Amino acid sequence: MRKTVLFALTILAICSEAKADCLAALKPDQIKIEDNFAFEYQFLKTINQSNYAEHQANGNAGAQYLGISGDVGFSEFDKKRSEFFSHFDEKVQNRISSNYVFNGLSALGYRAYSDCIRQNAPLSAWIEDYNESQVIARVKSYAPSGYKTNLVVSVPSNPKPRPFVGAGEQQLVFNRPKGDDLLVSIQLDDEKGNPYASAVLKLGRPLHLRKVRREEVVHLPGHCGAGCQGHENGCQNTQDIDATPRFGYQFARDPKFTVVPNPPGVPGSIAHLEHKMDIGPDKLKVDFSCVADNPHGQKFVYLDVSITQFRDVIEEELPTQ
């Protein structure tokens, strides 16, 4: 059996004075949160093209504040920094802050209210312990001395619930097949069968989560042509590649270049092919250049660039039947 945070959603039929006593604890507190960006502003201003590599090596070239990966170039960093600065007025950089003020129930107020309810409620119920096959609950009555009430439970328990005469408590054990959700309605009825107080016990099925990587291979076409008019590398005719991953995905660093057979009637005789590649999680840019083996006439080579795009998702691991 393992210990857990105990919880029960209690539906109370409280007498009016007890309820009024507890309402004072529900008075909302004014909660203030302030974020100051002056340090980030000053720090980012110290980074320039000459010291950018050093900041990258130390892992503090703006990824923490700008949300960019640590391997982008200075120009991309500078662009993101400018966007960050555009939200603020440089003349008031020492007072860059945001304030949030709202009314809410503090943790102290919540504890005071729950303690008050527990002490004044005619009925309370909570989960003491559980495992994958059973749930142990405790039910406590705060009925007046000598006042007889019957305990009615919506789910069979062992032992069976017995009547309360005034205050008291008892333990109930519920079966929990296959660790399923548990929802139990508990009610106190007076001797005439009229509802006096009620509560609900609720325990959700435990979630088993795992991280799963989803991958897709993307094929991107390109071509390079060269030759004509006596110049081996003249008359360049290229289709470069400039691509971004699907929304929510990012590129892996695994591009593969494959020469595709030319369509019928298209001359394909290239002596030398080169490419220059710029790759990051959110972009792939490939520039081609080629030299034909014959300077007379245009020669083409067609290419397929395949790259994996992926994303990590959290999903529930369902139990096997």
Side-chain angles (χ1 to χ4, degrees):
M1 304 290 277
R2 60 175 174 174
K3 298 297 178 187
T4 184
V5 177
L6 310 180
F7 65 95
L9 173 64
T10 308
I11 305 171
L12 303 167
I14 318 174
C15 62
S16 59
E17 44 202 304
K19 186 174 181 180
D21 290 340
C22 296
L23 287 178
L26 284 178
K27 182 179 179 181
D29 302 313
Q30 190 175 80
I31 301 171
K32 181 178 179 181
I33 300 174
E34 178 175 331
D35 290 329
N36 193 301
F37 297 97
F39 175 80
E40 290 91 332
Y41 194 103
Q42 295 295 342
F43 169 75
L44 291 174
K45 287 194 72 174
T46 65
I47 301 177
N48 53 44
Q49 193 155 13
S50 61
N51 64 20
Y52 181 68
E54 180 181 351
H55 279 284
Q56 272 188 311
N58 294 331
N60 60 0
Q64 181 180 356
Y65 307 128
L66 305 180
I68 57 178
S69 62
D71 57 357
V72 303
F74 177 77
S75 59
E76 180 67 16
F77 163 81
D78 194 41
K79 177 183 175 184
K80 291 291 185 180
R81 179 173 60 178
S82 297
E83 293 174 359
F84 180 82
F85 285 173
S86 68
H87 296 293
F88 311 111
D89 182 354
E90 290 191 40
K91 295 179 182 178
V92 292
Q93 57 185 296
N94 292 322
R95 292 183 287 111
I96 299 170
S97 62
S98 57
N99 296 286
Y100 306 90
V101 179
F102 62 94
N103 289 328
L105 187 64
S106 67
L108 187 63
Y110 170 78
R111 283 197 299 271
Y113 179 71
S114 60
D115 289 345
C116 179
I117 289 294
R118 178 66 61 88
Q119 294 166 10
N120 290 277
L123 177 70
S124 63
W126 64 95
I127 294 171
E128 282 193 324
D129 207 348
Y130 68 91
N131 60 22
E132 292 187 354
S133 60
Q134 288 185 325
V135 176
I136 298 177
R138 188 163 293 276
V139 182
K140 193 165 185 177
S141 167
Y142 300 88
S145 178
Y147 189 81
K148 184 175 181 180
T149 55
N150 294 310
L151 185 61
V152 182
V153 181
S154 63
V155 176
S157 66
N158 183 25
K160 293 182 179 180
R162 60 183 185 274
F164 282 112
V165 180
E169 65 180 273
Q170 55 184 291
Q171 186 184 78
L172 303 175
V173 179
F174 302 97
N175 291 328
R176 190 189 184 201
K178 299 180 182 179
D180 286 342
D181 297 347
L182 179 77
L183 181 64
V184 182
S185 173
I186 298 175
Q187 184 168 297
L188 280 182
D189 292 344
D190 63 20
E191 289 186 284
K192 296 180 180 179
N194 298 315
Y196 176 68
S198 61
V200 171
L201 284 171
K202 185 177 181 182
L203 179 63
R205 177 172 57 84
L207 295 178
H208 299 283
L209 303 177
R210 61 180 178 181
K211 183 168 75 170
V212 178
R213 174 157 293 190
R214 304 199 184 281
E215 296 184 345
E216 299 176 0
V217 177
V218 181
H219 293 275
L220 305 167
H223 74 253
C224 189
C228 87
Q229 297 183 3
H231 299 286
E232 288 186 350
N233 59 353
C235 296
Q236 285 280 333
N237 184 327
T238 60
Q239 178 186 341
D240 296 327
I241 292 174
D242 193 352
T244 57
R246 193 151 71 93
F247 179 76
Y249 284 72
Q250 57 181 310
F251 282 140
R253 294 180 174 274
D254 66 341
K256 295 180 177 58
F257 296 84
T258 306
V259 176
V260 179
N262 284 4
V266 176
S269 184
I270 297 294
H272 188 63
L273 173 68
E274 290 185 353
H275 70 272
K276 187 171 83 172
M277 182 175 65
D278 182 13
I279 183 173
D282 57 354
K283 67 176 180 179
L284 172 64
K285 183 173 178 59
V286 186
D287 296 325
F288 297 107
S289 64
C290 53
V291 177
D293 66 344
N294 186 339
H296 304 292
Q298 190 81 25
K299 308 294 183 180
F300 286 93
V301 60
Y302 286 85
L303 304 160
D304 173 79
V305 177
S306 60
I307 188 169
T308 302
Q309 60 181 5
F310 70 90
R311 67 171 178 172
D312 293 328
V313 298
I314 303 297
E315 67 177 24
E316 181 182 0
E317 186 173 8
L318 298 176
T320 56
Q321 298 295 327

